[in-house]
Amino acid sequence: MKSQIQEYINIAKLTKKERESEEATSQRVSDNVQTQVQNTIDTHSAWKQTSDSEQPVLHPIIESDGQPELDLFKEYQAEQEKLPEEVDIKVRKYTIPLDGASKCTISVQWTIGNSSTWIKVDPAEDGSSAAIQLNINHPFFKPFSEKEDFKMVLEKFAIAFALAEIRARKNANPDGMISPNAFRTHINNFLRELTDED
């Protein structure tokens, strides 16, 4: 009995060490994410607000070689627009139960080439289906577009996005207005349903 108690104590100590390690790692990762996102905002944001009452004014950020970063980005966008949009021939279909009585069939294709739009959603009028084209060549996704796990997350997010859009349209007021809060609530619920955790 004494050896079993000692074994439980050892397990508890190990678990406590793991929790402390996870908390430290989590804090480090959180700090790193914040730093990276803030650096992106600081170095790549060309829109600066001079005062709360004025409209945003575009200020190009000057790179070390003297070329305005905004001009480089516009040149990049112009070149991307010239590329033909390639649609992956593989169509992935998912049937998702929306409630006890209805389902929605979502088809997803990846596009490569033109990087102007990150997602295109073409829902059926009745909300029973939707076709999604996901642009994995969009500048925001490009650094991660070769990673399979990122593509899985992106595809799940796009499905949740499309389903939330469909559901929010069904709940629109008579003028067709959709509450942003309704969309956020729906996407939150669909993201929760699309997690791998039980």
Side-chain angles (χ1 to χ4, degrees), residues 71-98:
D71 289 344
L72 289 173
F73 181 70
K74 285 182 179 179
E75 185 180 325
Y76 168 77
Q77 281 183 317
E79 289 300 315
Q80 289 294 314
E81 293 296 325
K82 293 177 190 175
L83 293 174
E85 188 167 76
E86 298 174 30
V87 179
D88 189 359
I89 59 170
K90 174 72 174 153
V91 178
R92 290 166 303 287
K93 291 193 182 237
Y94 307 95
T95 302
I96 295 130
L98 298 177

